[in-house]
mmCIF file of all heavy atoms in Angstrom:
data_model
loop_
_atom_site.group_PDB
_atom_site.id
_atom_site.type_symbol
_atom_site.label_atom_id
_atom_site.label_comp_id
_atom_site.label_asym_id
_atom_site.label_seq_id
_atom_site.Cartn_x
_atom_site.Cartn_y
_atom_site.Cartn_z
ATOM 1 N N TRP F 233 5.269 -15.379 12.711
ATOM 2 C CA TRP F 233 6.482 -15.520 11.906
ATOM 3 C C TRP F 233 7.058 -14.157 11.552
ATOM 4 O O TRP F 233 8.278 -13.938 11.628
ATOM 5 C CB TRP F 233 6.149 -16.325 10.654
ATOM 6 C CG TRP F 233 7.304 -16.568 9.738
ATOM 7 C CD1 TRP F 233 8.553 -17.008 10.079
ATOM 8 C CD2 TRP F 233 7.323 -16.384 8.316
ATOM 9 N NE1 TRP F 233 9.344 -17.127 8.959
ATOM 10 C CE2 TRP F 233 8.614 -16.762 7.862
ATOM 11 C CE3 TRP F 233 6.375 -15.980 7.385
ATOM 12 C CZ2 TRP F 233 8.974 -16.709 6.523
ATOM 13 C CZ3 TRP F 233 6.739 -15.942 6.044
ATOM 14 C CH2 TRP F 233 8.021 -16.287 5.631
ATOM 15 N N MET F 234 6.186 -13.225 11.162
ATOM 16 C CA MET F 234 6.663 -11.882 10.824
ATOM 17 C C MET F 234 7.271 -11.199 12.047
ATOM 18 O O MET F 234 8.343 -10.581 11.970
ATOM 19 C CB MET F 234 5.505 -11.053 10.255
ATOM 20 C CG MET F 234 5.888 -9.645 9.813
ATOM 21 S SD MET F 234 5.818 -8.426 11.152
ATOM 22 C CE MET F 234 4.054 -8.429 11.510
ATOM 23 N N LEU F 235 6.602 -11.329 13.202
ATOM 24 C CA LEU F 235 7.107 -10.661 14.399
ATOM 25 C C LEU F 235 8.438 -11.249 14.864
ATOM 26 O O LEU F 235 9.265 -10.532 15.439
ATOM 27 C CB LEU F 235 6.065 -10.754 15.519
ATOM 28 C CG LEU F 235 4.785 -9.931 15.282
ATOM 29 C CD1 LEU F 235 3.766 -10.183 16.375
ATOM 30 C CD2 LEU F 235 5.109 -8.441 15.172
ATOM 31 N N GLU F 236 8.647 -12.521 14.606
ATOM 32 C CA GLU F 236 9.939 -13.129 14.935
ATOM 33 C C GLU F 236 11.073 -12.486 14.143
ATOM 34 O O GLU F 236 12.233 -12.514 14.574
ATOM 35 C CB GLU F 236 9.892 -14.637 14.641
ATOM 36 C CG GLU F 236 9.039 -15.428 15.628
ATOM 37 C CD GLU F 236 8.836 -16.872 15.177
ATOM 38 O OE1 GLU F 236 9.210 -17.191 14.022
ATOM 39 O OE2 GLU F 236 8.295 -17.666 15.965
ATOM 40 N N ASN F 237 10.731 -11.937 12.988
ATOM 41 C CA ASN F 237 11.731 -11.297 12.124
ATOM 42 C C ASN F 237 11.574 -9.775 12.084
ATOM 43 O O ASN F 237 12.194 -9.112 11.251
ATOM 44 C CB ASN F 237 11.622 -11.856 10.704
ATOM 45 C CG ASN F 237 11.955 -13.333 10.626
ATOM 46 O OD1 ASN F 237 13.118 -13.713 10.553
ATOM 47 N ND2 ASN F 237 10.935 -14.180 10.641
ATOM 48 N N PHE F 238 10.757 -9.239 12.995
ATOM 49 C CA PHE F 238 10.375 -7.826 12.944
ATOM 50 C C PHE F 238 11.580 -6.898 13.050
ATOM 51 O O PHE F 238 11.657 -5.878 12.359
ATOM 52 C CB PHE F 238 9.385 -7.526 14.071
ATOM 53 C CG PHE F 238 8.677 -6.215 13.936
ATOM 54 C CD1 PHE F 238 7.703 -6.032 12.963
ATOM 55 C CD2 PHE F 238 8.976 -5.156 14.782
ATOM 56 C CE1 PHE F 238 7.034 -4.828 12.833
ATOM 57 C CE2 PHE F 238 8.311 -3.939 14.660
ATOM 58 C CZ PHE F 238 7.339 -3.777 13.685
ATOM 59 N N ALA F 239 12.538 -7.259 13.898
ATOM 60 C CA ALA F 239 13.694 -6.387 14.119
ATOM 61 C C ALA F 239 14.529 -6.213 12.851
ATOM 62 O O ALA F 239 15.248 -5.213 12.713
ATOM 63 C CB ALA F 239 14.563 -6.952 15.243
ATOM 64 N N GLN F 240 14.415 -7.167 11.931
ATOM 65 C CA GLN F 240 15.228 -7.102 10.717
ATOM 66 C C GLN F 240 14.564 -6.285 9.607
ATOM 67 O O GLN F 240 15.193 -5.998 8.594
ATOM 68 C CB GLN F 240 15.486 -8.521 10.193
ATOM 69 C CG GLN F 240 16.173 -9.419 11.222
ATOM 70 C CD GLN F 240 16.322 -10.834 10.716
ATOM 71 O OE1 GLN F 240 17.139 -11.093 9.842
ATOM 72 N NE2 GLN F 240 15.547 -11.758 11.262
ATOM 73 N N LEU F 241 13.299 -5.928 9.794
ATOM 74 C CA LEU F 241 12.577 -5.214 8.747
ATOM 75 C C LEU F 241 12.985 -3.753 8.681
ATOM 76 O O LEU F 241 13.254 -3.112 9.706
ATOM 77 C CB LEU F 241 11.069 -5.297 8.979
ATOM 78 C CG LEU F 241 10.409 -6.671 8.956
ATOM 79 C CD1 LEU F 241 8.898 -6.533 9.098
ATOM 80 C CD2 LEU F 241 10.746 -7.416 7.682
ATOM 81 N N GLN F 242 12.995 -3.213 7.472
ATOM 82 C CA GLN F 242 13.168 -1.784 7.311
ATOM 83 C C GLN F 242 11.944 -1.079 7.893
ATOM 84 O O GLN F 242 10.854 -1.648 7.954
ATOM 85 C CB GLN F 242 13.336 -1.444 5.832
ATOM 86 C CG GLN F 242 14.560 -2.098 5.193
ATOM 87 C CD GLN F 242 14.583 -1.920 3.685
ATOM 88 O OE1 GLN F 242 13.838 -1.123 3.128
ATOM 89 N NE2 GLN F 242 15.450 -2.674 3.024
ATOM 90 N N GLU F 243 12.112 0.163 8.302
ATOM 91 C CA GLU F 243 11.037 0.864 9.015
ATOM 92 C C GLU F 243 9.748 0.940 8.195
ATOM 93 O O GLU F 243 8.650 0.717 8.703
ATOM 94 C CB GLU F 243 11.493 2.280 9.401
ATOM 95 C CG GLU F 243 12.506 2.324 10.540
ATOM 96 C CD GLU F 243 11.981 1.648 11.802
ATOM 97 O OE1 GLU F 243 10.810 1.883 12.164
ATOM 98 O OE2 GLU F 243 12.750 0.875 12.418
ATOM 99 N N ASN F 244 9.859 1.232 6.902
ATOM 100 C CA ASN F 244 8.651 1.323 6.078
ATOM 101 C C ASN F 244 7.969 -0.030 5.953
ATOM 102 O O ASN F 244 6.734 -0.123 5.873
ATOM 103 C CB ASN F 244 8.984 1.895 4.696
ATOM 104 C CG ASN F 244 9.956 1.028 3.926
ATOM 105 O OD1 ASN F 244 10.932 0.521 4.482
ATOM 106 N ND2 ASN F 244 9.724 0.854 2.634
ATOM 107 N N ASN F 245 8.758 -1.111 5.968
ATOM 108 C CA ASN F 245 8.174 -2.443 5.881
ATOM 109 C C ASN F 245 7.515 -2.861 7.192
ATOM 110 O O ASN F 245 6.512 -3.585 7.180
ATOM 111 C CB ASN F 245 9.234 -3.464 5.462
ATOM 112 C CG ASN F 245 9.657 -3.289 4.004
ATOM 113 O OD1 ASN F 245 8.892 -2.756 3.199
ATOM 114 N ND2 ASN F 245 10.856 -3.721 3.679
ATOM 115 N N LYS F 246 8.081 -2.422 8.305
ATOM 116 C CA LYS F 246 7.436 -2.665 9.598
ATOM 117 C C LYS F 246 6.042 -2.033 9.603
ATOM 118 O O LYS F 246 5.048 -2.659 9.995
ATOM 119 C CB LYS F 246 8.267 -2.071 10.735
ATOM 120 C CG LYS F 246 9.568 -2.783 11.024
ATOM 121 C CD LYS F 246 10.315 -2.096 12.156
ATOM 122 C CE LYS F 246 11.631 -2.807 12.468
ATOM 123 N NZ LYS F 246 12.383 -2.148 13.564
ATOM 124 N N HIS F 247 5.984 -0.795 9.173
ATOM 125 C CA HIS F 247 4.705 -0.075 9.148
ATOM 126 C C HIS F 247 3.721 -0.761 8.204
ATOM 127 O O HIS F 247 2.535 -0.929 8.539
ATOM 128 C CB HIS F 247 4.944 1.369 8.711
ATOM 129 C CG HIS F 247 3.687 2.194 8.652
ATOM 130 N ND1 HIS F 247 2.953 2.350 7.480
ATOM 131 C CD2 HIS F 247 3.015 2.880 9.610
ATOM 132 C CE1 HIS F 247 1.898 3.101 7.723
ATOM 133 N NE2 HIS F 247 1.916 3.445 9.010
ATOM 134 N N SER F 248 4.197 -1.177 7.038
ATOM 135 C CA SER F 248 3.314 -1.826 6.058
ATOM 136 C C SER F 248 2.747 -3.133 6.602
ATOM 137 O O SER F 248 1.556 -3.423 6.460
ATOM 138 C CB SER F 248 4.079 -2.104 4.761
ATOM 139 O OG SER F 248 4.501 -0.909 4.158
ATOM 140 N N ALA F 249 3.590 -3.939 7.245
ATOM 141 C CA ALA F 249 3.145 -5.225 7.774
ATOM 142 C C ALA F 249 2.080 -5.042 8.839
ATOM 143 O O ALA F 249 1.033 -5.718 8.842
ATOM 144 C CB ALA F 249 4.339 -5.993 8.340
ATOM 145 N N LEU F 250 2.303 -4.104 9.772
ATOM 146 C CA LEU F 250 1.332 -3.882 10.839
ATOM 147 C C LEU F 250 0.034 -3.285 10.303
ATOM 148 O O LEU F 250 -1.064 -3.618 10.780
ATOM 149 C CB LEU F 250 1.940 -2.955 11.899
ATOM 150 C CG LEU F 250 3.132 -3.539 12.670
ATOM 151 C CD1 LEU F 250 3.719 -2.502 13.604
ATOM 152 C CD2 LEU F 250 2.721 -4.785 13.451
ATOM 153 N N THR F 251 0.146 -2.432 9.294
ATOM 154 C CA THR F 251 -1.048 -1.826 8.695
ATOM 155 C C THR F 251 -1.916 -2.882 8.022
ATOM 156 O O THR F 251 -3.145 -2.866 8.151
ATOM 157 C CB THR F 251 -0.638 -0.750 7.670
ATOM 158 O OG1 THR F 251 0.104 0.279 8.325
ATOM 159 C CG2 THR F 251 -1.870 -0.133 7.012
ATOM 160 N N VAL F 252 -1.290 -3.816 7.332
ATOM 161 C CA VAL F 252 -2.034 -4.889 6.664
ATOM 162 C C VAL F 252 -2.737 -5.764 7.696
ATOM 163 O O VAL F 252 -3.927 -6.102 7.559
ATOM 164 C CB VAL F 252 -1.096 -5.738 5.784
ATOM 165 C CG1 VAL F 252 -1.777 -7.031 5.347
ATOM 166 C CG2 VAL F 252 -0.655 -4.944 4.563
ATOM 167 N N LEU F 253 -2.024 -6.135 8.758
ATOM 168 C CA LEU F 253 -2.635 -6.955 9.803
ATOM 169 C C LEU F 253 -3.831 -6.248 10.430
ATOM 170 O O LEU F 253 -4.903 -6.842 10.620
ATOM 171 C CB LEU F 253 -1.604 -7.273 10.885
ATOM 172 C CG LEU F 253 -0.701 -8.482 10.657
ATOM 173 C CD1 LEU F 253 0.364 -8.541 11.747
ATOM 174 C CD2 LEU F 253 -1.503 -9.773 10.647
ATOM 175 N N GLU F 254 -3.656 -4.983 10.736
ATOM 176 C CA GLU F 254 -4.742 -4.223 11.355
ATOM 177 C C GLU F 254 -5.962 -4.171 10.437
ATOM 178 O O GLU F 254 -7.100 -4.366 10.882
ATOM 179 C CB GLU F 254 -4.267 -2.802 11.670
ATOM 180 C CG GLU F 254 -5.324 -1.959 12.375
ATOM 181 C CD GLU F 254 -4.826 -0.558 12.694
ATOM 182 O OE1 GLU F 254 -3.924 -0.075 11.970
ATOM 183 O OE2 GLU F 254 -5.335 0.049 13.641
ATOM 184 N N ALA F 255 -5.735 -3.955 9.144
ATOM 185 C CA ALA F 255 -6.841 -3.862 8.193
ATOM 186 C C ALA F 255 -7.584 -5.193 8.081
ATOM 187 O O ALA F 255 -8.822 -5.231 8.028
ATOM 188 C CB ALA F 255 -6.310 -3.429 6.829
ATOM 189 N N VAL F 256 -6.842 -6.300 8.049
ATOM 190 C CA VAL F 256 -7.473 -7.620 7.937
ATOM 191 C C VAL F 256 -8.302 -7.927 9.181
ATOM 192 O O VAL F 256 -9.432 -8.421 9.089
ATOM 193 C CB VAL F 256 -6.390 -8.705 7.705
ATOM 194 C CG1 VAL F 256 -6.969 -10.117 7.896
ATOM 195 C CG2 VAL F 256 -5.796 -8.567 6.312
ATOM 196 N N TYR F 257 -7.749 -7.635 10.356
ATOM 197 C CA TYR F 257 -8.485 -7.892 11.601
ATOM 198 C C TYR F 257 -9.721 -6.997 11.716
ATOM 199 O O TYR F 257 -10.798 -7.433 12.136
ATOM 200 C CB TYR F 257 -7.574 -7.681 12.809
ATOM 201 C CG TYR F 257 -6.560 -8.787 13.019
ATOM 202 C CD1 TYR F 257 -5.237 -8.502 13.378
ATOM 203 C CD2 TYR F 257 -6.917 -10.123 12.868
ATOM 204 C CE1 TYR F 257 -4.311 -9.511 13.585
ATOM 205 C CE2 TYR F 257 -5.992 -11.141 13.068
ATOM 206 C CZ TYR F 257 -4.693 -10.833 13.425
ATOM 207 O OH TYR F 257 -3.781 -11.843 13.638
ATOM 208 N N LYS F 258 -9.574 -5.737 11.342
ATOM 209 C CA LYS F 258 -10.715 -4.810 11.402
ATOM 210 C C LYS F 258 -11.835 -5.242 10.467
ATOM 211 O O LYS F 258 -13.018 -5.190 10.819
ATOM 212 C CB LYS F 258 -10.257 -3.383 11.059
ATOM 213 C CG LYS F 258 -9.602 -2.631 12.207
ATOM 214 C CD LYS F 258 -9.304 -1.188 11.803
ATOM 215 C CE LYS F 258 -8.767 -0.392 12.987
ATOM 216 N NZ LYS F 258 -8.468 1.020 12.605
ATOM 217 N N GLU F 259 -11.466 -5.659 9.254
ATOM 218 C CA GLU F 259 -12.460 -6.081 8.273
ATOM 219 C C GLU F 259 -13.280 -7.254 8.799
ATOM 220 O O GLU F 259 -14.482 -7.374 8.505
ATOM 221 C CB GLU F 259 -11.743 -6.485 6.976
ATOM 222 C CG GLU F 259 -12.658 -6.962 5.864
ATOM 223 C CD GLU F 259 -13.494 -5.854 5.252
ATOM 224 O OE1 GLU F 259 -13.110 -4.671 5.386
ATOM 225 O OE2 GLU F 259 -14.527 -6.176 4.640
ATOM 226 N N ALA F 260 -12.645 -8.106 9.601
ATOM 227 C CA ALA F 260 -13.343 -9.276 10.145
ATOM 228 C C ALA F 260 -13.988 -8.990 11.493
ATOM 229 O O ALA F 260 -14.597 -9.890 12.089
ATOM 230 C CB ALA F 260 -12.364 -10.436 10.277
ATOM 231 N N GLY F 261 -13.860 -7.755 11.986
ATOM 232 C CA GLY F 261 -14.448 -7.406 13.277
ATOM 233 C C GLY F 261 -13.739 -8.040 14.459
ATOM 234 O O GLY F 261 -14.348 -8.258 15.520
ATOM 235 N N ARG F 262 -12.468 -8.351 14.300
ATOM 236 C CA ARG F 262 -11.704 -9.001 15.364
ATOM 237 C C ARG F 262 -10.961 -7.919 16.170
ATOM 238 O O ARG F 262 -9.742 -7.742 16.066
ATOM 239 C CB ARG F 262 -10.739 -10.032 14.781
ATOM 240 C CG ARG F 262 -11.467 -11.165 14.047
ATOM 241 C CD ARG F 262 -10.481 -12.130 13.405
ATOM 242 N NE ARG F 262 -9.706 -12.880 14.372
ATOM 243 C CZ ARG F 262 -10.078 -14.039 14.929
ATOM 244 N NH1 ARG F 262 -11.272 -14.566 14.607
ATOM 245 N NH2 ARG F 262 -9.301 -14.656 15.791
#
Side-chain angles (χ1 to χ4, degrees):
W233 181 47
M234 182 273 295
L235 291 175
E236 288 171 351
N237 296 277
F238 194 72
Q240 302 176 72
L241 298 184
Q242 299 171 13
E243 287 303 316
N244 61 318
N245 289 335
K246 290 179 180 180
H247 180 266
S248 297
L250 294 175
T251 299
V252 167
L253 275 173
E254 183 179 27
V256 167
Y257 286 138
K258 279 185 175 180
E259 179 71 21
R262 298 177 67 87

